[in-house]
Structures are given as structure tokens and as C-alpha cells.
Amino acid sequence: GDSVTQMEGPVTLSEEAFLTINCTYTATGYPSLFWYVQYPGEGLQLLLKATKADDKGSNKGFEATYRKETTSFHLEKGSVQVSDSAVYFCALTSSNDYKLSFGAGTTVTVRA
Amino acid sequence: DVKVTQSSRYLVKRTGEKVFLECVQDMDHENMFWYRQDPGLGLRLIYFSYDVKMKEKGDIPEGYSVSREKKERFSLILESASTNQTSMYLCASSSGVRRHYGYTFGSGTRLTVV
């Protein structure tokens, strides 16, 4: 079945540091890939997505590129802020399934 | 602004009570989902529905049931609440034909069973 493996946390960074969270997947066909963010006490929000190979999703300074050859969708941000402290989830949906498969989530804490 | 609305942000219930968690979406989505989220366990799918009056068990349906009488509303029912059902509950919806849009989540309901 489909599955997502993402980097375990927690990750602690200083403000303006570079952030990368690794995500790899196993899926049949051509899945769509997502990153969701969950701020403390909130539900999940869609951060960015990519629907085909070599697509780059971007939002709020975050980027991720759909790499079919390495089955990866790593999340990056060049200069993090305290407000980026959150839990980040990588997810995918296959063309033949209603459901999203989620990674375990990575907790990121950014210190001033 | 499109949204998924969960009726309560915080809820405290007693052991043995019947508990209803309500979720409403205004996006005309076909699919709706209930997850619970616990520290160290990630998101676990309880039930989902891909159409009115249809339901499918997820990974952890025991102790729960659901109801979907109208397209916009998906209710999660704890038949007899227990302390191990203390958790954050998240509702989500998605389009049946535009799966590449992903899910839209509600803000969550933090349920405490005492």
C-alpha cells in the first residue's frame, strides 16, 4: 500500500537558519504530494502541493519539488522565523484512492 | 472563505456518556473523514464517508460510529465514552473528483473524558 516516511523530529533551529525536512514515499501510479502544517492547538492547513513529477510547490517561503526518480518530496525554507514553529506533515494521495496517507509528522521549534 | 467547521474546540465528558462530535463543510465535498491525533501516534483514521449515508471503517473504528445524513455534515459518535478516547479529533473533507486538491481540515475538537 501507499506510505510516507518523513524525518523524525523534533527539530530545533535558530531564527534565520535553513530548514529541510525529508520525505520519501511509496505509491502506485502517479500520486499527488502535499505538505501540511499544524500550528499549536490548531487543525492542519495545506502548506503546498505538487501533482506531477518535477513540479515545485511553494508557499510562505517554503518549497518542495516532486522527485519521481528518488520518490521524494523534501520541504525546505531558506530562513525560518519563530512563527514557523509547528508540526509538519508530508502526505500523498494516489489516483485510485480517496484517502490521504500521512507521514508521522515532524515537530519544528524555531528559537529567537 | 471555504471551511470545515467543528462544533466545539474543547469538550469535557464523563465516562459512559454518549458523545457527538459534529462537522460541517461548505464546499460541496463528497468525501469526509474523522481522525484522532495523539502524541507519538500521528494521525489515525477512524471513519470516512464518500457519499451521503455511506461510511467506511478506517484504521481504528472500535468504540466509534458515524452518521452522514446530509452531504455537508459528518458526525462522529462515541457510544460510551472512555478515558482512552481522550484525544484531539480532526474532521476533514475533500472533493471526490479533484483529489489533487487534498483535504481541508477543521480546527479540531480536544475531547477530555473524565
Side-chain angles (χ1 to χ4, degrees), chain A residues 32 34 36 38 40-46 49 51 87 89 93-105, chain B residues 9-10 31 33 35 37 41-43 45 48 50 88 90 94-96 99-108 110:
Chain A
S32 294
F34 306 86
Y36 284 84
Q38 184 180 32
E42 299 291 326
L44 279 69
Q45 302 174 23
L46 179 63
K49 66 182 174 80
T51 58
V87 182
F89 292 91
T93 183
S94 293
S95 56
N96 60 350
D97 196 355
Y98 297 106
K99 304 189 300 295
L100 279 176
S101 296
F102 286 93
Chain B
R9 291 297 301 273
Y10 300 94
N31 306 323
F33 308 84
Y35 288 85
Q37 184 179 22
L41 297 177
L43 294 164
L45 181 63
F48 64 102
Y50 53 88
M88 171 73 119
L90 294 167
S94 71
S95 169
R99 293 171 187 161
H100 58 279
Y101 282 21
Y103 287 7
T104 300
F105 280 87
S107 297
R110 185 163 294 283

Side-chain angles (χ1 to χ4, degrees), chain A residues 28-39:
Chain A
T28 54
Y30 300 92
S32 294
L33 302 174
F34 306 86
W35 277 101
Y36 284 84
V37 60
Q38 184 180 32
Y39 299 105

Side-chain angles (χ1 to χ4, degrees), chain A:
Chain A
D2 299 341
S3 67
V4 176
T5 302
Q6 67 180 97
M7 188 173 98
E8 287 192 23
V11 174
T12 302
L13 302 164
S14 298
E15 222 170 9
E16 299 184 2
F18 183 87
L19 170 68
T20 182
I21 304 175
N22 290 339
C23 172
T24 58
Y25 67 89
T26 302
T28 54
Y30 300 92
S32 294
L33 302 174
F34 306 86
W35 277 101
Y36 284 84
V37 60
Q38 184 180 32
Y39 299 105
E42 299 291 326
L44 279 69
Q45 302 174 23
L46 179 63
L47 181 58
L48 54 83
K49 66 182 174 80
T51 58
K52 62 184 187 295
D54 300 323
D55 267 2
K56 177 185 283 188
S58 61
N59 187 25
K60 298 181 180 180
F62 290 89
E63 293 183 340
T65 301
Y66 188 144
R67 301 285 187 201
K68 192 164 178 62
E69 64 276 12
T70 54
T71 61
S72 65
F73 192 55
H74 304 321
L75 182 68
E76 295 181 337
K77 185 174 185 181
S79 177
V80 294
Q81 305 300 313
V82 172
S83 57
D84 293 324
S85 298
V87 182
Y88 294 83
F89 292 91
C90 185
L92 70 82
T93 183
S94 293
S95 56
N96 60 350
D97 196 355
Y98 297 106
K99 304 189 300 295
L100 279 176
S101 296
F102 286 93
T106 302
T107 300
V108 173
T109 302
V110 180
R111 295 187 171 160

